[in-house]
Amino acid sequence: MNNVVFREISTVINRRYRALIWSSKEIKTIDLDLQLVNKISRNILSFIERSLGNSRDNLDVFEPYRVIKTINVNTNLNKKNIETLSYLSLLKILYTDLPVKISVEEKRLGKTLVCPSIYYYNSGYFKRIIGGCGGRICDEECSTYKVEALPIIMGTEFDEDILTYEENIVEDSLDEIASVEDRLLTMFNINKLIYPDNSLGVLILRLKKSESEAVEVFIREGFDNVVIRLDLRKPSWDLNMFPKKIVSDIETLITNPIKKGYKYAPRGVLLVGPPGVGKSVLAEAIASEIGKKILDLKPSVYRSMWYGMTEKILEKLLKSITHRTDLALLIDDAEFLVSRALAIHEVHISEISILLKYLQNPDRPVTLLTSNTPTLIDQALLRPGRIDVIIVLGYPDRESRRTIIENILKQYDVKNVSEDLIEEIVRKTRWFNSAEIDALIRMALSKGDGRIDIESIEWARKRFKIDPNMRSAEHQFLRWGVNSLSNLVIQYIPDEQDM
């Protein structure tokens, strides 16, 4: 063969073992999920083991061992990805798995070259990506070795005609081995190769795009591989739990454009307000409305004591979710993304730089941030284009408190509560936030042994020290802050008369 790239392999697992890999061009490895490489190589190894157990003794009834497998992957695969995947998988098989197999079954496989080849198939077109042979070096008088060709067909889409190409692919794999025969004879110190009429088996691997229930990245740290796994979670809240006046704006400006797939749909949302007003809950409700699961990004997930590892982990995590369509990224209490002018460590500056680049990517998932004090956050992160919409939440008004109270009573399975009692709770929770309303109802239920009445509400209310003047001043500060924002703002800051 002309323009063939060869690679010879030896391993400490079996010093009498050698392998040869060849391809029509140099395959450049790119960043791939190592878990996927391991999954592919496990399937190939299982196929090789089952095929080698397939006897040719009775040629009248001999049938090649055929396997058709579907492997779910959580990334888009193109031809270049598949080339790298094929190369790494075959390298792992020939370098580690096959030497062990031959060592264990040396009596049966001692004079056999096991030759898997991987082909790329797409709409009636197939092409060999990489081929290889592995076996034991003849260290005594050896005249002949058997060849066992094991073609593997890999692709993302297969039609009904795939099996009609099987014979051609088997024939092509045997021809490829024959074209490098001189090199194999010299390498394994033998005189002749005996070729079969057919292969022992054929493996068809369909790589199907699917979304995983978690995000995993593999980081090389010294001589070890560190696995970072973040599970996705389903949102626990929905927009029906919020006042109609804010839900209407959120649907118009955020959720409807995203659900309809408009290119101008917002990709970044910041929720601002005092503690306990429901920022995190509303962020979950937005994710639920657009049909996304939530991926929580916290400093504890990616920060490392080792120099350079924090940036490496964060960058790889964000890169791994760039094209995910099933999740929304939630950065809760985003004050840790402190302004670079206030940063006390160079790592914090690097974090901001990585996130700035990530938030600039139009293919990223919807990103939701919450903050009590957004003035601490690096303002470059919050500019339009990175954060498209800011939702400003104040303390709930009468209508909102009523909705909150009804939802809490339903959540705790409290029944037979009169309208007059609900109205009384609404009146007594003026200037309360959502979390405080929840706490008051739980305290009243504890006092009433699972029941709620005026007396238990009065008892619970006395435990709270709420300063209306202080909270009114917070509303004034929020209004002032809104005027300084250049983003699209959804504002929910009730006036005094609405409280």
Side-chain angles (χ1 to χ4, degrees):
M1 293 190 297
N2 297 323
N3 301 321
V4 178
V5 178
F6 290 99
R7 179 173 178 180
E8 294 188 8
I9 297 172
S10 59
T11 172
V12 295
I13 296 173
N14 184 345
R15 296 191 181 279
R16 299 167 68 193
Y17 171 90
R18 291 289 185 277
L20 180 68
I21 289 180
W22 60 88
S23 57
S24 56
K25 65 176 183 178
E26 185 76 36
I27 297 178
K28 296 181 179 180
T29 57
I30 56 178
D31 253 357
L32 274 182
D33 184 351
L34 290 179
Q35 190 178 29
L36 179 58
V37 174
N38 290 332
K39 190 186 294 186
I40 297 291
S41 60
R42 279 198 304 270
N43 277 276
I44 294 176
L45 178 63
S46 175
F47 158 71
I48 290 174
E49 289 176 339
R50 294 287 297 273
S51 296
L52 292 176
N54 195 6
S55 176
R56 296 182 186 273
D57 293 344
N58 190 343
L59 296 179
D60 294 332
V61 295
F62 173 76
E63 286 288 340
Y65 176 69
R66 180 188 295 117
V67 184
I68 302 176
K69 292 273 291 185
T70 297
I71 296 179
N72 293 325
V73 298
N74 56 16
T75 185
N76 292 316
L77 289 177
N78 53 34
K79 187 179 178 183
K80 189 173 182 180
N81 297 134
I82 292 177
E83 284 179 352
T84 298
L85 191 60
S86 302
Y87 174 71
L88 294 177
S89 300
L90 192 63
L91 186 63
K92 182 178 184 300
I93 291 290
L94 294 176
Y95 185 77
T96 59
D97 300 315
L98 193 56
V100 173
K101 178 73 176 174
I102 289 176
S103 296
V104 173
E105 300 189 45
E106 189 165 331
K107 185 175 181 181
R108 185 167 67 91
L109 300 175
K111 294 187 177 182
T112 301
L113 291 186
V114 180
C115 302
S117 300
I118 300 180
Y119 289 80
Y120 174 69
Y121 177 87
N122 184 25
S123 302
Y125 161 83
F126 70 88
K127 181 181 180 181
R128 178 187 51 78
I129 299 174
I130 191 166
C133 286
R136 183 177 68 88
I137 294 176
C138 180
D139 50 8
E140 53 191 41
E141 188 64 31
C142 300
S143 57
T144 59
Y145 265 33
K146 291 190 302 180
V147 170
E148 293 296 1
L150 297 166
I152 298 131
I153 307 168
M154 194 181 297
T156 54
E157 295 295 335
F158 290 119
D159 49 42
E160 294 179 356
D161 295 332
I162 177 65
L163 296 180
T164 64
Y165 292 96
E166 183 180 306
E167 186 175 336
N168 293 336
I169 290 174
V170 170
E171 184 179 337
D172 183 81
S173 66
L174 290 168
D175 289 343
E176 290 281 358
I177 297 167
S179 67
V180 297
E181 180 176 314
D182 290 343
R183 188 153 186 152
L184 291 172
L185 293 175
T186 302
M187 183 174 178
F188 289 94
N189 192 29
I190 50 181
N191 299 322
K192 183 180 179 182
L193 294 178
I194 300 175
Y195 295 91
D197 295 328
N198 205 339
S199 68
L200 281 173
V202 176
L203 173 63
I204 300 173
L205 286 179
R206 180 187 177 213
L207 306 178
K208 181 181 178 182
K209 177 76 163 61
S210 69
E211 306 292 3
S212 170
E213 291 298 310
V215 172
E216 284 189 349
V217 295
F218 295 78
I219 307 293
R220 188 73 175 172
E221 187 175 345
F223 295 100
D224 297 324
N225 284 321
V226 178
V227 182
I228 308 292
R229 177 185 171 92
L230 300 182
D231 291 319
L232 305 183
R233 60 183 178 90
K234 292 183 179 179
S236 305
W237 305 86
D238 59 66
L239 288 179
N240 295 329
M241 301 175 178
F242 291 86
K244 291 182 180 178
K245 62 181 72 175
I246 189 172
V247 169
S248 176
D249 285 343
I250 289 173
E251 288 177 339
T252 301
L253 297 173
I254 301 175
T255 60
N256 287 344
I258 292 174
K259 288 194 289 186
K260 293 177 181 179
Y262 293 143
K263 290 186 177 180
Y264 58 79
R267 309 304 300 170
V269 179
L270 171 66
L271 296 95
V272 175
V277 295
K279 300 182 295 296
S280 302
V281 170
L282 182 55
E284 286 198 29
I286 291 172
S288 176
E289 182 67 17
I290 60 178
K292 309 296 183 186
K293 294 178 183 176
I294 292 174
L295 176 67
D296 293 292
L297 183 66
K298 304 173 184 177
S300 59
V301 168
Y302 63 82
R303 283 187 177 168
S304 170
M305 62 182 287
W306 302 111
Y307 185 81
M309 283 300 291
T310 294
E311 300 93 313
K312 193 173 182 180
I313 294 171
L314 177 61
E315 192 165 26
K316 206 151 191 181
L317 277 172
L318 295 175
K319 186 177 179 181
S320 71
I321 65 170
T322 297
H323 297 286
R324 293 285 294 262
T325 58
D326 63 325
L327 62 84
L329 180 67
L330 175 59
I331 305 177
D332 212 358
D333 297 318
E335 285 84 0
F336 70 87
L337 301 174
V338 66
S339 169
R340 285 167 289 181
L342 302 175
I344 59 174
H345 197 284
E346 62 180 282
V347 171
H348 298 157
I349 298 175
S350 299
E351 283 180 46
I352 301 298
S353 299
I354 292 168
L355 281 161
L356 286 174
K357 183 179 178 182
Y358 167 76
L359 290 173
Q360 196 68 32
N361 190 335
D363 297 323
R364 74 184 190 276
V366 173
T367 304
L368 305 165
L369 293 84
T370 71
S371 173
N372 299 327
T373 51
T375 51
L376 291 178
I377 301 175
D378 194 292
Q379 295 305 294
L381 287 169
L382 305 184
R383 71 153 174 81
R386 293 188 175 115
I387 297 298
D388 304 298
V389 180
I390 295 181
I391 302 174
V392 182
L393 298 175
Y395 292 98
D397 61 11
R398 290 182 64 89
E399 179 191 343
S400 300
R401 294 202 303 276
R402 185 178 187 87
T403 303
I404 292 167
I405 291 164
E406 289 173 347
N407 285 327
I408 291 171
L409 292 173
K410 184 178 179 181
Q411 178 185 351
Y412 295 140
D413 199 24
V414 182
K415 299 176 181 177
N416 302 320
V417 181
S418 68
E419 286 295 316
D420 290 341
L421 182 55
I422 291 176
E423 189 60 34
E424 183 64 18
I425 300 173
V426 170
R427 188 180 67 81
K428 289 189 175 296
T429 54
R430 185 171 184 264
W431 288 112
F432 275 51
N433 63 36
S434 306
E436 289 163 345
I437 295 172
D438 180 82
L440 180 137
I441 291 174
R442 285 189 287 109
M443 290 172 68
L445 287 169
S446 298
K447 177 66 175 175
D449 195 23
R451 301 186 61 176
I452 194 167
D453 53 28
I454 292 291
E455 289 75 17
S456 62
I457 290 294
E458 291 279 3
W459 178 86
R461 177 62 184 85
K462 292 176 182 178
R463 268 66 186 168
F464 290 87
K465 306 298 181 185
I466 305 295
D467 186 345
N469 293 326
M470 183 69 72
R471 298 210 163 173
S472 177
E474 288 185 61
H475 270 195
Q476 292 299 326
F477 182 77
L478 284 175
R479 291 189 183 96
W480 171 82
V482 166
N483 294 330
S484 65
L485 296 172
S486 59
N487 309 66
L488 179 62
V489 176
I490 298 175
Q491 180 178 332
Y492 173 66
I493 309 174
D495 295 322
E496 289 275 350
Q497 62 269 21
D498 296 325
M499 297 301 293

